[in-house]
Amino acid sequence: MSRLAMIGLDCAAPQLVFERWRDDLPNLRSLMDDGVYGKLRSTIPPITVPAWTSMMTSQDPGQLGFYGFRNRASYDYKDLFFANAKYVKAKTVWNYLSRQRLNSLVFGVPQTYPPKPLKGVMVSSFLTPSKEVQWTHPREAASEVDQAAGGDYMIDVKDFRTDDKDWLLDQIHEMTRRRFSAFRHFVRKKEFDFMAMVEMGIDRMHHGFWRYFDEEHRLYEPGHKYEHAIRDYYKLVDEEIGLLLDDLPRDTSVMVTSDHGARRMDGAICVNEWLIREGLLTLKETPTEPTRLTPDMVNWSKTKAWGEGGYYSRIFLNVEGREPKGKIPSADYDAFRDELKAKIEAIPDEKGNPIGTTVYKPEDIYRVVNGIAPDLIVFFGDLAWRSAGSVGTGAVHIFENDTGPDDANHDWDGIFIWDHPAKVDVKKKDPYSIYDIAPTILRFFNVDIPEHMIGEPLF
């Protein structure tokens, strides 16, 4: 049977891979020329968690029961959990392949910490707290990964939101070289039917360096020494992909995917500052400098709504009989939520111009809503603006991220490239769906596709 290698490039942007730098990326271009490619529509929201798990399970975030990195475990104000692999109940493609006695190599795929048993080898993702814990399956693979990486496999770049750009650039390049080196080591063993890796470096580069190359970014500086940093990094990734292709068995089918894309960030909407001005959020005491909102700062008896910051905003309502000190009568919930949705969609930019914000109700976009979803899911300016959760900023609009330097926001479409040696008739879609990947992988290995998967195989 043929093998399948999936190269995951977190945050890889279609406008850069397919258009702007296509000629600078000979290995990716060759895969495009020989196979099929197109945009890959991400999850709602288009962020790493839950997008990669949705790709590997063909389940939407509502079905999975998590809506971002941090989620509510109950309706208590402080009860949050971090969505690691312990909370992933849906079966991934390697679970199904293991049952068919097929070997998988899973390297750095988000939400694989703590690593769970499979038939093969797993190296957990950037969400691993440190290498002091078990980060591989089997445990003894850790030393082999380190050795193959050249001494110290880097799970992620720590504190990538920094102004020390020279350090950041060096760390990202080193992380990428080591990850590809370690992955190639295992590939050369030719023991695996399915081989999947996810490289986080493109995401870190976009957030750290986007302002230096995008002429439309408000902080763009022509001729800056980092003007070509992202392009040069894409070229490095392409070179590493070329080395990997040389090591793959000849009958290997190669798929390249990203979980979402990227775009410039125009600014941030301080969602909690706006809720305070609307009289919907009351603090015990207003901080005099930007401060992360925590539950102990809130006068809950006078609060109807609060929000979370991030690439998108999650709005939570304080409902009688649901939250401990609920303020909104349950009978008024629907009307209040509709009114708030309309008000948020009307928030303009700092000059009063409309920005095209979209607000979703979870039950309108997911097949089911498991766990505790936000009451509203907000994309300010269709992702041109991020959400800042801090209070004490003194403004609704700010132009730097409140959690550290960040130039880019996520975008709805990632990339999909598939070069299949057997040249099967792959369906054309514009865009492809992130939910189609898992059933396509199972079809490739002639494994029955579970009825609960919401995507469709691409051939």
Side-chain angles (χ1 to χ4, degrees):
M1 177 180 291
S2 298
R3 307 168 200 260
L4 176 62
M6 199 192 82
I7 304 168
L9 304 176
D10 193 283
C11 200
Q15 71 271 30
L16 302 182
V17 175
F18 298 157
E19 299 171 17
R20 183 162 178 154
W21 295 327
R22 180 185 177 116
D23 291 339
D24 295 318
L25 309 172
N27 294 297
L28 286 169
R29 187 184 65 212
S30 176
L31 292 172
M32 286 184 262
D33 291 343
D34 292 342
V36 298
Y37 68 97
K39 295 177 180 177
L40 186 68
R41 179 52 57 103
S42 186
T43 49
I44 302 174
I47 60 174
T48 300
V49 174
W52 282 108
T53 301
S54 287
M55 190 188 305
M56 296 302 177
T57 63
S58 194
Q59 299 280 276
D60 70 29
Q63 294 170 299
L64 294 171
F66 34 76
Y67 307 89
F69 288 85
R70 292 188 305 155
N71 297 266
R72 298 182 80 179
S74 73
Y75 285 107
D76 188 272
Y77 304 116
K78 298 181 180 179
D79 196 8
L80 299 175
F81 70 91
F82 198 78
N84 64 24
K86 290 190 297 186
Y87 300 95
V88 179
K89 306 304 180 187
K91 291 182 179 177
T92 57
V93 289
W94 53 84
N95 293 143
Y96 293 104
L97 298 181
S98 292
R99 293 183 64 180
Q100 300 298 319
R101 310 304 299 164
L102 295 168
N103 278 330
S104 295
L105 175 64
V106 180
F107 234 80
V109 178
Q111 277 191 290
T112 52
Y113 173 80
K116 297 178 181 177
L118 77 165
K119 183 170 169 53
V121 173
M122 175 177 286
V123 178
S124 62
S125 70
F126 76 107
L127 297 171
T128 306
S130 78
K131 288 164 67 177
E132 299 301 313
V133 300
Q134 182 178 349
W135 55 283
T136 64
H137 174 84
R139 182 188 293 270
E140 53 268 25
S143 59
E144 187 176 353
V145 174
D146 270 340
Q147 186 174 14
D152 183 14
Y153 177 83
M154 294 171 64
I155 292 173
D156 193 10
V157 175
K158 295 185 181 300
D159 304 322
F160 68 91
R161 290 196 172 88
T162 174
D163 287 319
D164 189 348
K165 301 300 183 184
D166 285 343
W167 174 86
L168 178 60
L169 196 60
D170 177 71
Q171 288 291 294
I172 295 173
H173 278 234
E174 195 61 35
M175 172 182 69
T176 300
R177 291 193 187 96
R178 293 183 185 188
R179 188 168 352 264
F180 272 93
S181 177
F183 188 68
R184 287 198 302 270
H185 163 79
F186 285 90
V187 164
R188 284 194 290 270
K189 292 184 172 184
K190 301 182 180 179
E191 296 175 348
F192 303 100
D193 304 286
F194 176 60
M195 298 160 277
M197 67 165 288
V198 173
E199 172 53 52
M200 294 301 299
I202 288 180
D203 180 88
R204 298 342 185 193
M205 288 296 299
H206 287 166
H207 291 301
F209 295 93
W210 194 279
R211 73 177 62 183
Y212 302 111
F213 90 97
D214 185 346
E215 294 89 342
E216 296 183 7
H217 197 289
R218 70 170 70 215
L219 298 174
Y220 173 69
E221 298 176 47
H224 196 281
K225 73 172 187 176
Y226 297 125
E227 184 156 17
H228 301 300
I230 293 181
R231 183 201 64 183
D232 292 345
Y233 176 76
Y234 269 82
K235 292 171 67 175
L236 168 69
V237 170
D238 187 79
E239 291 169 5
E240 294 290 342
I241 289 174
L243 295 174
L244 173 60
L245 297 179
D246 289 341
D247 282 335
L248 289 170
R250 291 189 61 184
D251 62 346
T252 304
S253 181
V254 179
M255 185 182 289
V256 183
T257 63
S258 64
D259 57 331
H260 54 75
R263 59 176 300 170
R264 75 176 187 275
M265 186 176 74
D266 289 343
I269 303 294
C270 298
V271 62
N272 287 315
E273 286 286 338
W274 180 83
L275 289 168
I276 290 171
R277 295 184 184 197
E278 293 292 315
L280 300 174
L281 170 62
T282 301
L283 303 184
K284 297 173 183 173
E285 188 174 340
T286 302
T288 57
E289 59 184 20
T291 305
R292 180 174 175 268
L293 180 70
T294 55
D296 59 297
M297 298 166 62
V298 178
N299 182 339
W300 292 106
S301 65
K302 296 182 179 179
T303 290
K304 291 185 176 179
W306 76 102
E308 289 277 352
Y311 302 119
Y312 74 112
S313 186
R314 292 168 292 154
I315 303 293
F316 301 101
L317 304 187
N318 196 23
V319 182
E320 279 185 3
R322 195 182 78 172
E323 272 74 14
K325 296 182 180 179
K327 180 70 174 172
I328 303 168
S330 56
D332 296 342
Y333 175 81
D334 289 335
F336 180 87
R337 189 167 61 148
D338 287 340
E339 181 182 354
L340 182 58
K341 177 178 182 294
K343 284 185 176 180
I344 293 173
E345 288 175 336
I347 296 175
D349 69 9
E350 76 279 14
K351 297 177 181 176
N353 300 311
I355 59 174
T357 294
T358 51
V359 182
Y360 295 102
K361 299 175 183 177
E363 66 271 24
D364 291 341
I365 53 177
Y366 302 129
R367 285 158 178 78
V368 295
V369 180
N370 289 322
I372 300 177
D375 293 285
L376 294 172
I377 298 172
V378 180
F379 300 96
F380 289 114
D382 194 29
L383 292 167
W385 295 69
R386 65 171 287 142
S387 171
S390 297
V391 292
T393 61
V396 170
H397 304 86
I398 59 175
F399 302 100
E400 289 282 3
N401 180 18
D402 62 334
T403 59
D406 198 337
D407 298 348
N409 209 355
H410 291 184
D411 208 350
W412 293 107
D413 293 329
I415 65 170
F416 170 73
I417 304 169
W418 192 17
D419 182 12
H420 193 329
K423 302 303 177 190
V424 297
D425 188 14
V426 180
K427 296 176 183 176
K428 299 289 186 181
K429 286 190 172 183
D430 184 23
Y432 293 96
S433 168
I434 199 167
Y435 302 114
D436 293 342
I437 302 301
T440 299
I441 292 170
L442 295 186
R443 173 65 58 83
F444 178 88
F445 287 106
N446 291 320
V447 175
D448 290 341
I449 299 167
E451 291 184 359
H452 65 262
M453 286 192 168
I454 63 176
E456 64 172 3
L458 292 173
F459 69 105

